Amino acid sequence: MVPNKGTFVPGRNNEIRNDYAVAISKALREELGTSARATKTVMRWTGVSDRAAKYWLSGMKAPGGWQLILLAKNSDAVLHAFLKMANRDLFKLSIELNAAQASLARAAAIIKALRSE
């Protein structure tokens, strides 16, 4: 009989992993397409094998940490997909920044108009 000791390690969530692979695949295919050229581009960006690049483009597997960084460095679509998965969507932030910039421009125009009177 073996005593029940140690730390409980929960199982990995396969649904999140599959969603991650599909999101990266979709982002790569939107930006690069599905041709052999797309595979070679992913290989050049990350230094991975032909097989790994094809897996990523098909959504069967997903890149690891440092490979994701290299993809995001070269691909805006991958960066946006990653931020969206992390609930740090850059699009929302950029819209808010544009609205703030427009408000500041209007305020500056009003101040300038009031000073000239």
Side-chain angles (χ1 to χ4, degrees):
M1 184 175 233
V2 178
N4 190 7
K5 293 183 179 179
T7 305
F8 174 73
V9 179
R12 295 184 178 210
N13 191 339
N14 285 336
E15 185 178 326
I16 292 173
R17 188 181 298 177
N18 290 339
D19 291 345
Y20 165 58
V22 169
I24 297 300
S25 170
K26 182 179 176 186
L28 287 171
R29 284 185 279 125
E30 283 176 3
E31 188 164 334
L32 302 174
T34 57
S35 66
R37 182 183 217 175
T39 304
K40 290 180 193 262
T41 301
V42 170
M43 291 169 57
R44 188 175 62 249
W45 286 349
T46 59
V48 297
S49 69
D50 180 39
R51 183 178 299 210
K54 286 180 181 179
Y55 279 144
W56 297 349
L57 285 164
S58 70
M60 292 175 65
K61 295 187 179 185
W66 65 270
Q67 296 159 336
L68 178 62
I69 292 169
L70 293 173
L71 286 173
K73 181 179 176 182
N74 291 289
S75 169
D76 289 338
V78 171
L79 176 62
H80 293 296
F82 172 75
L83 290 172
K84 190 172 184 178
M85 286 184 286
N87 291 326
R88 305 250 182 199
D89 197 359
L90 189 60
F91 295 121
K92 290 180 185 176
L93 179 61
S94 66
I95 290 170
E96 290 176 18
L97 287 174
N98 286 338
Q101 185 179 13
S103 296
L104 287 172
R106 272 188 303 240
I110 291 170
I111 292 171
K112 187 175 181 179
L114 290 174
R115 281 193 176 163
S116 62
E117 287 182 9

